[in-house]
Amino acid sequence: MGGSRRLVLYYMDFIELVADVSFRENLQNFWKYQADDTVKDLNLLELALAVHPNWTLDVTLSQKEANVIWHPVMTEVGMCLTFNSLYAEFQYMRQDMKWIPQPLLQCHYHSGQCYVRVDSQSTAVRYFVHSPYEISTAISNPTGEVLPGEELVIDYKVVEIQASPSVKGLRTEQRRCKYPDEWISDSIRAYSFSLCQMHCRSRMAVMFCGCRPYFHVKGGKK
């Protein structure tokens, strides 16, 4: 193999690693680029966005009048496209554009007409289904992977749980939980279990390495 071809493969591996980084699977593969000055000053977030295919999936909703807007987000399991996610703001990759929250899709679970259909057509897609008030993190397991020609049908049973309003008057140490409006930090003005985990890992990276990983779009500070 010629030297130029080896160099091409070397940088192709780097680009693939940047766009498809995984906190628990391939993060350690960056070690071979740590002394390479040619990639030292690259904006990895912009690089991941630039090489990602510019396409979205067709979505059919039971809420006929609603529109789906896909947002590019950088997660601890690589770059993803997401919709109907309020907390995608904290992983939003378009740093040149202001995040504009969209109304969440809603339907009554007793209606029998509450569904979302995503058509991936000839493309293999891995799905992560989670609450609009959560995000995908390093410990998230994919809901399913659909290959071309396959169909995945998932039925959900809804269980609604509400706490008494007086619970919020307790200290967090007493109730052992936080509410969404009890902010994690100035850069993450919300709370969820996954956001808290991401923020803790981001702060640890700053503590031990002196910098925040590019796939932690926000966080790392108090």
Side-chain angles (χ1 to χ4, degrees), residues 26-37:
N26 62 5
L27 184 61
Q28 68 278 4
N29 293 343
F30 276 105
W31 70 267
K32 67 178 181 179
Y33 301 100
Q34 61 184 347
D36 188 345
D37 290 337

Side-chain angles (χ1 to χ4, degrees), residues 14-21 47-48 51-52 74 77-79 214:
F14 175 75
I15 293 173
E16 182 177 351
L17 181 60
V18 169
D20 198 30
V21 65
L47 176 60
V51 300
H52 194 274
M74 178 54 76
V77 289
M79 181 180 169
Y214 71 97

Side-chain angles (χ1 to χ4, degrees), residues 31 71 81 95 131 146 151 169:
W31 70 267
H71 297 291
L81 294 173
Q95 300 299 291
S131 164
V146 181
E151 184 177 76

